[in-house]
Amino acid sequence: MMYKNAFKLVISNFHLVWKTLLYQIFVVLITIGLAFACSLPIINVISNAGIFKTIAGSFNEFATNFNIYKLFSDLILSVESLFKVIAENINSLWLYIVLFLVIIVLVRTILRGFSNFASTGVLYNYLSSNIKVSYVANLTNNFFKNIKFQLAYLIVELPINLLIVFCAYMLFKWMLSLSGLILLAPIVLIILLVLVISLKQTIFSAWLPALITFNCSIFGALKKGIKAVFRRFYRSYSTAILILATLVILNVVCALCTFGASLLLTLPISSLTINIFGMVVFYSSQGMRFYVDSENVITTKKMEETDAFSKLKFIV
C-alpha cells in the first residue's frame, strides 16, 4: 500500500519533477564551474601519470575481446594507481583536493538539499490539506533552518556513505579475486547496495518530514523521525527496497534505451519519489490522514481506530 501510494503521489505532484529538474541543472552547473577551477592541477597530475590513457585503453581492449574480468581488474588497478599518484603529490595538491572536496561534498550537498527541503514543504501542504503552494517560496523560506538541517544531515550521512563506498569497493575487489564469481560480482554488489542504501534511507526517511510537520529542533526532528520509522520498520524497509529497486531499473533501462538522455527526467523523478516515500512513511506511522490526489484521502489504521473510539464515546 505504501508503495502504491508513493507512486500515486508522484503522479499527483508531477509538476515538481520539472521544477526539481531545473534546480538540479542549476546545481550541477554551479558545482562543475566551481570544482573545475580548483581541479585542473589535480587533473594535470593524473593525466601526466598516464592514468586516463590506461583507463581508455582498458575500455578499448574490452571492446575488442569482451573480457569482463580483465576490464574490472584493470579498473581496480587504475583506482589504486590513482590513489598512489595523489599520495605521492599530496604536498602540492592538498589545498586543491580540500577545495574540491568542500565544493563537491559541502556546497553541492547544501544546494541539493534546498531542493529536498522545498519539495517536502510543498508535499506537506498537499498531503495535509490538498493545497498546492509555491516551490520557489519554499525554496527561500526558513533559509537558515534549511542550512542547519543540511549541515546536520551531512554530519550524520557522510560517515555512513563513506563506509558503504569503502565496503562496496573491498567486496568487489575480493569477488574479483574469485574467478568463478566474476559474472556474479556486479549483480551481487548491486543487490547488496540496494539493501544497504534502502536501510539507510528508511532510518532517516522521516527526519525532514518531522522537521517540517512539527517545526521542532533539528535533532528533535531526528528523534521523532526515527521513532516514527520504527513503528512500521519492516513494512517501511520492504517498501524502500521495492522503490529503490524500481528506480534503479527505471534509470538503467531508460538510460540504455535513450543513450543517457532520459536521465534528465528519471533522476528528478527518483529524487521526488524518495522525498514522497519519507512523507508517506511519516504520515502512515503517525496515523495521519493524507491526500494522494484531489479526490482520495488515505486513512491509516491508527486513525480509523481513534475515530471508532470517539464515535463510541459519543454514543455512550
Side-chain angles (χ1 to χ4, degrees):
M1 183 64 75
M2 293 172 67
Y3 179 87
K4 182 173 68 174
N5 291 335
F7 282 102
K8 280 184 178 180
L9 282 164
V10 171
I11 296 172
S12 301
N13 294 272
F14 203 82
H15 65 283
L16 287 175
V17 171
W18 308 114
K19 296 173 183 178
T20 302
L21 171 60
L22 292 175
Y23 184 81
Q24 287 184 352
I25 291 174
F26 166 77
V27 171
V28 169
L29 293 176
I30 292 294
T31 303
I32 291 176
L34 293 174
F36 183 74
C38 64
S39 62
L40 278 176
I42 304 173
I43 294 173
N44 289 334
V45 169
I46 296 172
S47 179
N48 292 335
I51 293 177
F52 292 137
K53 291 183 180 179
T54 302
I55 295 174
S58 299
F59 281 102
N60 288 333
E61 186 178 351
F62 174 72
T64 303
N65 55 29
F66 296 101
N67 189 336
I68 189 70
Y69 176 78
K70 185 70 166 54
L71 174 64
F72 287 154
S73 299
D74 289 345
L75 291 179
I76 292 292
L77 291 175
S78 296
V79 171
E80 292 177 348
S81 299
L82 172 64
F83 287 133
K84 184 178 179 180
V85 169
I86 291 177
E88 291 173 351
N89 295 272
I90 194 66
N91 290 333
S92 60
L93 295 180
W94 70 268
L95 179 59
Y96 300 106
I97 293 173
V98 170
L99 290 174
F100 180 79
L101 291 176
V102 167
I103 293 169
I104 294 297
V105 176
L106 183 61
V107 176
R108 186 187 66 87
T109 300
I110 291 177
L111 289 176
R112 186 189 62 181
F114 269 67
S115 177
N116 294 332
F117 204 98
S119 296
T120 305
V122 173
L123 291 169
Y124 164 70
N125 284 276
Y126 183 84
L127 267 71
S128 59
S129 306
N130 192 25
I131 297 174
K132 292 186 177 182
V133 298
S134 171
Y135 176 87
V136 177
N138 276 274
L139 203 59
T140 55
N141 288 344
N142 301 313
F143 180 80
F144 292 105
K145 191 170 188 178
N146 195 339
I147 290 181
K148 290 179 182 178
F149 172 77
Q150 304 309 330
L151 291 174
Y153 194 86
L154 181 63
I155 291 171
V156 173
E157 185 187 41
L158 184 59
I160 299 174
N161 289 342
L162 291 176
L163 180 62
I164 291 173
V165 171
F166 175 76
C167 292
Y169 174 77
M170 296 304 295
L171 176 62
F172 190 70
K173 185 178 178 180
W174 172 75
M175 294 187 73
L176 283 181
S177 65
L178 306 174
S179 57
L181 296 178
I182 182 60
L183 295 178
L184 292 177
I187 299 173
V188 172
L189 187 62
I190 291 172
I191 293 174
L192 290 177
L193 282 175
V194 167
L195 294 176
V196 173
I197 294 174
S198 296
L199 177 62
K200 186 200 75 170
Q201 189 62 43
T202 301
I203 293 173
F204 298 111
S205 61
W207 188 358
L208 184 54
L211 179 65
I212 290 178
T213 301
F214 292 114
N215 195 27
C216 51
S217 66
I218 303 298
F219 288 101
L222 175 60
K223 182 179 179 181
K224 289 179 181 293
I226 292 177
K227 184 178 179 181
V229 165
F230 277 92
R231 289 195 185 109
R232 296 187 173 192
F233 177 76
Y234 294 108
R235 185 180 300 179
S236 300
Y237 181 44
S238 59
T239 303
I241 293 172
L242 290 174
I243 288 177
L244 188 57
T246 302
L247 294 177
V248 168
I249 294 171
L250 174 68
N251 281 273
V252 171
V253 172
C254 291
L256 291 175
C257 294
T258 61
F259 300 100
S262 63
L263 292 177
L264 285 173
L265 184 60
T266 57
L267 288 178
I269 290 175
S270 301
S271 178
L272 177 62
T273 304
I274 291 172
N275 288 333
I276 287 175
F277 166 72
M279 293 296 291
V280 171
V281 168
F282 185 69
Y283 269 63
S284 298
S285 64
Q286 292 292 111
M288 300 166 65
R289 295 189 181 94
F290 60 92
Y291 286 87
V292 291
D293 54 48
S294 58
E295 298 179 353
N296 295 295
V297 179
I298 300 299
T299 305
T300 60
K301 183 178 180 181
K302 181 179 177 182
M303 185 64 74
E304 289 173 350
E305 291 174 350
T306 303
D307 288 349
F309 179 78
S310 298
K311 290 179 179 178
L312 179 64
K313 182 179 178 181
F314 178 77
I315 293 173
V316 173

